[in-house]
Amino acid sequence: MASNAPVGKPTDMSSPRLPKVAGIDSTVPAPPHTVAPLPGVPSAAPPSDAALPPGVLIQDRLASWVSDLTTLHELTERLIKTDSLDGALREMLGAGAALVGARRGMAVLEPADGLGPTSTIGLGLAHADLGTIETVPRGSGSYGRLLDGLPEADPPGAGLPEADPPGAGLPGNGPTAPRRPARVPEPIAIRDVRTEEGLDPRHREVAARLGYAASYALPLATEEAGRLGAAVWLYDEPAEPDERRRHLIGLYGRFATEHLARLLQVERARARVATVAEELLPSRLPRVPGVRLAVRHLTGPQGGGDWYDALPLPEGALGLAVGSVSGTGPSALAAMGRLRASLRAYAVMEGEDPVAVLSDLELLLRLTEPARSATALFAYAEPAQRRIVLAGAGHAPPLVVGDHRTEFVETSLSAPLGMLTCWEAPSVELSPAPGETVLLYTDGLLRRTGDATDRAFARLHAAASSVPRADRSDPGAVADHVLRTLLPGGLDPAVEGEDVVLLAARFE
């Protein structure tokens, strides 16, 4: 009886040993026509006729699987550390290029629901190169076919609820028809752009100009998240990923799509909050003779309760206000809108007395929102006389900036609105000289510096003192200089914290 011959080692298991991943040899080498993959990423194995005992074969196969899982774990760990759509797309492009053995690529974010946002990110491609690729008709480009849907992979109606029979869901007519999840298009591999059938001539022209000969496009889509976009990697020579590489990039792509879907929801929520906040604040500042106004409003990811206002009053007067409501998010925005609207009404009725305006506002806040507190500063300005009367409730003092002085306005200490049974504090009067600018700001400007309160006040004073003389005639330039000096990196939208409001009034 003939003895059984030893089983030959599968082609995807036999490979020369490359750098290890977590102590396990990689088994998927990079194709010779592309650059080496990222460190720690496995590559495909060349065929071999070597025969191994069954035990060694199983052990090698298990080691290969563990190596693949380790690699995917490391790549997904790096991906989940990204907290922005652009950052996640760039990380996904780099990791995907290593997994498929390519050198360049691009990712297009274009959610199927049409609600945006949209963006295009390149890897090893300049902005002009991305524009050149976008000149290829979408029906010919692989990523465009994925974004628009492939008839053979995504038939009309796929992903939409199937039609219910007449009367379905009504009493006695039984349950509604089952819903069908969205179908995910298959990846598209173009092994050789020069010989591929059905390609638009423009596609071949662009490939020759940019120097790529093949591509592999992956849909950024899952049945749950739907289609968010597509990624395409470009090869320098004719090639396509083997089955093992396709499997790895498929697993990674599904995880990346779910992560992008979460970031997309966060980005849309932030955009909605920012839109609501902007709608609750003045769309433009009024023009009043004798004074020029400018404002800068920076908001965090959740949206805070900082606000400002500039209200024309009878007889050429002007009401200026800044304030902050406790809390963040939609509830704080709603409270801010109510508080600002109330202050405008009180300013029209008794604006000449800022103490009365804030007293009425405190009573309203205590009666209608007893669990909330707020700081506020209201100033009644008469630009023609360059006279300002102001009162503050737990708010930082204004800062006067001019050619001959930079000093804080001395105001009395008082509690925020809603903290005491009856609020009242004396008002302060000041007369800015011609050409001086009065800065009203919220506490977020000081707290965003990360310094202690006294140190933050000193930095604000130094920033205002260092405004170039050529910029002091423009209140917007004064505000920009102060913000650049105090917050040189700007307001990081990913960092939780208070909003920043800076209102500048320059008196002629």
Side-chain angles (χ1 to χ4, degrees), residues 175-265:
T176 59
R179 304 298 179 181
R180 183 168 54 190
R183 183 174 298 180
V184 177
E186 294 295 327
I188 300 176
I190 300 178
R191 179 173 179 78
D192 192 340
V193 175
R194 295 169 297 181
T195 61
E196 184 78 13
E197 296 182 359
L199 292 186
D200 189 276
R202 178 60 180 168
H203 192 165
R204 305 185 200 275
E205 178 185 343
V206 168
R209 178 182 301 180
L210 298 183
Y212 69 88
S215 65
Y216 184 74
L218 181 75
L220 300 177
T222 64
E223 293 182 351
E224 294 77 16
R227 271 199 300 268
L228 302 184
V232 58
W233 291 276
L234 308 176
Y235 295 90
D236 296 338
E237 297 181 7
E240 64 179 335
D242 57 24
E243 183 178 354
R244 186 172 185 179
R245 286 182 178 271
R246 289 175 183 249
H247 180 64
L248 289 176
I249 190 60
L251 293 175
Y252 181 78
R254 284 192 289 273
F255 181 88
T257 301
E258 295 296 337
H259 182 61
L260 287 170
R262 291 189 291 270
L263 291 178
L264 181 64
Q265 295 303 318

Side-chain angles (χ1 to χ4, degrees), residues 478-495:
V478 174
D480 289 336
H481 177 85
V482 171
L483 286 177
R484 284 195 306 267
T485 306
L486 286 181
L487 306 173
L491 194 64
D492 189 348
V495 176

Side-chain angles (χ1 to χ4, degrees), residues 36 61 172 459 461:
R61 184 183 295 273
R459 289 186 57 188
H461 186 277

Side-chain angles (χ1 to χ4, degrees), residues 17 64 74 86 138 251 282 291 296 320 366 473:
R17 294 300 183 241
S64 176
E74 292 178 352
D86 278 2
R138 286 173 69 100
L251 293 175
V291 64
R296 300 294 182 264
L320 300 174
R366 182 157 44 88
S473 60

Side-chain angles (χ1 to χ4, degrees), residues 70-112:
T70 302
T71 298
L72 288 175
H73 174 74
E74 292 178 352
L75 293 178
T76 53
E77 282 291 311
R78 284 159 50 178
L79 180 64
I80 62 178
K81 292 179 181 178
T82 59
D83 55 7
S84 67
L85 286 172
D86 278 2
L89 287 172
R90 295 184 189 280
E91 175 62 32
M92 182 273 301
L93 263 184
L99 289 174
V100 302
R103 184 171 65 90
R104 294 177 292 174
M106 63 181 289
V108 179
L109 181 68
E110 190 176 302

Side-chain angles (χ1 to χ4, degrees), residues 243-451:
E243 183 178 354
R244 186 172 185 179
R245 286 182 178 271
R246 289 175 183 249
H247 180 64
L248 289 176
I249 190 60
L251 293 175
Y252 181 78
R254 284 192 289 273
F255 181 88
T257 301
E258 295 296 337
H259 182 61
L260 287 170
R262 291 189 291 270
L263 291 178
L264 181 64
Q265 295 303 318
V266 172
E267 182 69 21
R268 288 178 173 178
R270 289 176 178 174
R272 286 193 293 267
V273 168
T275 300
V276 171
E278 292 300 324
E279 290 297 326
L280 291 174
L281 295 174
S283 58
R284 61 183 180 86
L285 296 175
R287 294 184 177 181
V288 177
V291 64
R292 295 172 57 194
L293 302 175
V295 68
R296 300 294 182 264
H297 178 213
L298 307 177
T299 184
Q302 292 188 359
D306 287 17
W307 53 277
Y308 64 91
D309 206 349
L311 178 66
L313 297 174
E315 300 180 1
L318 177 68
L320 300 174
V322 293
S324 177
V325 175
S326 60
T328 58
S331 62
L333 289 175
M336 177 265 284
R338 293 190 294 268
L339 201 67
R340 173 178 168 267
S342 302
L343 186 141
R344 290 174 71 91
Y346 297 143
V348 170
M349 292 187 296
E350 45 192 358
E352 296 183 15
D353 186 355
V355 173
V357 172
L358 294 185
S359 296
D360 293 342
L361 194 64
E362 192 276 336
L363 178 60
L364 177 69
L365 184 68
R366 182 157 44 88
L367 294 177
T368 59
E369 301 186 54
R372 195 178 295 277
S373 63
T375 64
L377 186 146
F378 178 74
Y380 177 81
E382 296 176 310
Q385 290 76 33
R386 292 194 302 278
R387 172 177 174 269
I388 300 177
V389 181
L390 61 89
H395 209 80
L399 182 62
V400 180
V401 182
D403 293 336
H404 304 291
R405 63 169 176 169
T406 300
E407 61 185 25
F408 290 102
V409 178
E410 294 186 5
T411 58
S412 59
L413 297 176
S414 65
L417 303 176
M419 300 293 289
L420 301 178
T421 304
C422 181
W423 178 91
E424 187 171 346
S427 61
V428 175
E429 183 174 333
L430 68 146
S431 298
E436 290 188 331
T437 300
V438 179
L439 297 179
L440 310 180
Y441 52 93
T442 58
D443 294 341
L445 179 62
L446 303 174
R447 296 180 181 176
R448 280 283 187 171
T449 63
D451 295 327

